[in-house]
Amino acid sequence: MKKQLILEDGSVFIGEGFGSDTSSIGEVVFNTGMTGYQEILSDPSYCGQIVTLTYPLVGNYGINRDDFESITPAINGFIVKEASDFPSNWRNELSLHEYFQNKNIPGIAGIDTRMLTRIIRKYGTLKGMICNIEEKVEDVLERLRATQLRHDQVKQVSTKTPYPSPGRGKRVVLVDFGMKHGILRELNNRNCDVIVVPYNTTAEEILALSPDGVMLSNGPGDPKDVEEAIAMIKGILGKVPLFGICLGHQLFALACGANTEKMKFGHRGSNHPVKDLATGKVALTSQNHGYTVKEDSIENTRLDVTHIAVNDGSIEGLKHKDFPAFTVQYHPEASPGPEDANYLFDQFLQMIETEESGCAEKCQSVQI
C-alpha cells in the first residue's frame, strides 16, 4: 500500500506503507544507530514522535520477546529506507510489519531517509504526518499547522501505581518518567531492592519508603513540563543519594537552579562520544534526547559539569558540590548501544555506601 510522509515545511516523501493502515502525526526525529531497532521503537522517550532510522536496512533480524524496553511502544510512527519482509534470526518471532500491525502503529519504507535526515539537520525537528496516498498535501499541511504537540508525554508513559522489584541489597526508589527496562535490569543485576514509583510521587512519599538511594529515570518531552518532579527533587536533595539519567539529569539541573533548552535536532543514536572531564577519558554512549542543560546557566548554581559531548560540547554530566548527587545525559544502561558507561551504576551504589559509612561514623562520635 502506498503511503506518504508530509512535513510541515511542505516536503513530501512517497513510499510503501507497513504496519497499521492508520494515519499519524508526530515530531519527526532521526536515530543513527546501526542495530537495536527493537529497543529504539520500544523506548518510552520517543513518546509522540515519528522515528526515522538512518541505517538503510531495518527488520532483518525480526522482533523477539527479550529486547523490548517497554511493554507498549509509545512512538507515533516509524520511517525506514527498507523494511525486511523475511527476517532471519533464531530468536525471531515477528516481522516489523506484523509487530506494528499488532500495535496499530503506521510505518513507511522506501523513502530517501538520507534526504529526510538532511532536512531535519538543516531546519531542526519538524512536525510530520504519515498518511494514505489519497490525502491532499494542502489539507495535511493545514492539519499540521493546526496541531499542537502534547506536553503530557511523561504522564502518558509513567507507571500509574508504585510496584516493587525485590532484591536483598540496597533499597533504590526508581522514579519512572518513562523508564527503559534496561535501567531496572542494571539495578536488579546488582541485587538492589527496587521500588518503582510514578512521576508525580512527592518527596514525602519517597522518603517514607526509607530509600538508600533515589534514581531519576529517562523520559520524553520538555523537562519544564514536569513541575511536580522538580519540586520533588528539591525536597529529597541532600537527604538521600541521587542518580539521574537523561530526563532525570535535566530535571535535576532545573531543581538546582540551572536552565534547559530545546536542541535543534537532538542526540539520538548509539555512538556518541562523551568526555569525562576528571579523567580525560572518552566513552562511546547511547543517547536519546531533544533538550539540553544550558552551559551558562550552571555558573550561579552549586553544580559542577563532569562530562561533555565531544561532537558539540553540550553538557553530558553534572554533580552537586555539597550533596551526594550526580547525573548524566546519556544512557549508561545502553539498550541498544555500547556499555562503556555501565560502571556508573556501581558508582551510584558506592556513593550510597560512602554516605551510609559517613552517617554511621557521625552517629558513633555523637554517642561517644
Side-chain angles (χ1 to χ4, degrees), residues 37-38 58-64 67 84 86-89 91-96:
Y37 57 81
Q38 183 171 333
V58 180
N60 52 311
Y61 54 85
I63 298 290
N64 65 73
D67 291 342
S84 176
F86 304 101
S88 177
N89 185 274
R91 296 194 301 160
N92 170 53
E93 296 174 353
L94 294 170
S95 67
L96 271 183

Side-chain angles (χ1 to χ4, degrees), residues 302-313:
R302 297 297 296 165
L303 298 175
D304 281 329
V305 177
T306 59
H307 299 75
I308 60 169
V310 173
N311 291 336
D312 62 9

Side-chain angles (χ1 to χ4, degrees), residues 42-347:
S42 59
D43 182 348
S45 292
Y46 285 113
C47 179
Q49 296 178 328
I50 297 175
V51 182
T52 306
L53 295 190
T54 61
Y55 192 69
L57 176 61
V58 180
N60 52 311
Y61 54 85
I63 298 290
N64 65 73
R65 70 171 195 176
D66 298 322
D67 291 342
F68 291 109
E69 288 300 310
S70 65
I71 294 174
T72 304
I75 60 171
N76 281 12
F78 215 50
I79 303 168
V80 299
K81 178 68 174 72
E82 180 181 350
S84 176
D85 293 323
F86 304 101
S88 177
N89 185 274
W90 65 274
R91 296 194 301 160
N92 170 53
E93 296 174 353
L94 294 170
S95 67
L96 271 183
H97 172 65
E98 292 168 331
Y99 178 74
F100 282 130
Q101 266 191 328
N102 293 344
K103 297 299 182 180
N104 199 35
I105 298 172
I108 185 170
I111 71 169
D112 189 341
T113 51
R114 285 184 62 185
M115 180 185 291
L116 175 57
T117 301
R118 288 171 69 91
I119 290 172
I120 296 171
R121 285 183 59 87
K122 183 176 181 179
Y123 298 107
T125 54
L126 298 165
K127 284 185 289 186
M129 182 175 181
I130 297 175
C131 57
N132 293 326
I133 197 70
E134 294 83 9
E135 295 272 4
K136 294 182 178 179
V137 174
E138 297 78 12
D139 294 341
V140 172
L141 288 175
E142 188 173 336
R143 285 183 61 184
L144 287 173
R145 284 191 289 267
T147 299
Q148 295 294 322
L149 297 177
R150 295 177 63 169
H151 290 271
D152 64 345
Q153 294 100 322
V154 169
K155 181 179 180 181
Q156 292 180 60
V157 296
S158 176
T159 182
K160 301 301 183 285
T161 57
Y163 63 90
S165 182
R168 298 288 187 180
K170 300 298 181 184
R171 171 166 289 185
V172 175
V173 170
L174 173 53
V175 187
D176 178 12
F177 301 117
M179 173 196 70
K180 289 173 63 183
H181 287 174
I183 295 175
L184 183 58
R185 183 166 53 245
E186 290 300 329
L187 293 173
N188 287 337
N189 286 345
R190 289 159 176 81
N191 204 29
C192 292
D193 181 29
V194 183
I195 300 176
V196 182
V197 299
Y199 77 99
N200 56 356
T201 306
T202 66
E204 293 75 19
E205 290 170 332
I206 289 175
L207 294 174
L209 296 171
S210 301
D212 297 311
V214 173
M215 172 158 280
L216 310 174
S217 85
N218 65 293
D222 186 342
K224 293 177 181 176
D225 291 333
V226 198
E227 295 179 358
E228 307 96 321
I230 298 171
M232 176 272 292
I233 295 168
K234 290 179 179 178
I236 65 171
L237 191 58
K239 298 175 182 175
V240 61
L242 185 148
F243 176 24
I245 292 173
C246 202
L247 181 64
H249 159 84
Q250 298 160 13
L251 291 168
F252 171 73
L254 291 172
C256 293
N259 197 8
T260 57
E261 63 182 348
K262 187 173 176 63
M263 305 174 80
K264 186 175 181 180
F265 49 81
H267 293 174
R268 298 176 179 91
S270 53
N271 59 349
H272 289 259
V274 169
K275 184 177 181 180
D276 184 331
L277 297 180
T279 65
K281 292 182 177 179
V282 174
L284 288 179
T285 68
S286 176
Q287 301 200 12
N288 176 15
H289 60 98
Y291 289 81
T292 187
V293 177
K294 295 182 69 172
E295 184 177 3
D296 59 5
S297 72
I298 298 294
E299 295 177 7
N300 297 319
T301 70
R302 297 297 296 165
L303 298 175
D304 281 329
V305 177
T306 59
H307 299 75
I308 60 169
V310 173
N311 291 336
D312 62 9
S314 59
I315 293 174
E316 291 283 348
L318 295 168
K319 70 175 181 180
H320 204 282
K321 294 180 180 181
D322 307 314
F323 305 129
F326 72 97
T327 61
V328 290
Q329 181 64 81
Y330 51 93
H331 287 265
E333 82 286 352
S335 300
E339 298 180 351
D340 297 23
N342 194 265
Y343 70 91
L344 290 173
F345 290 96
D346 298 317
Q347 186 173 309

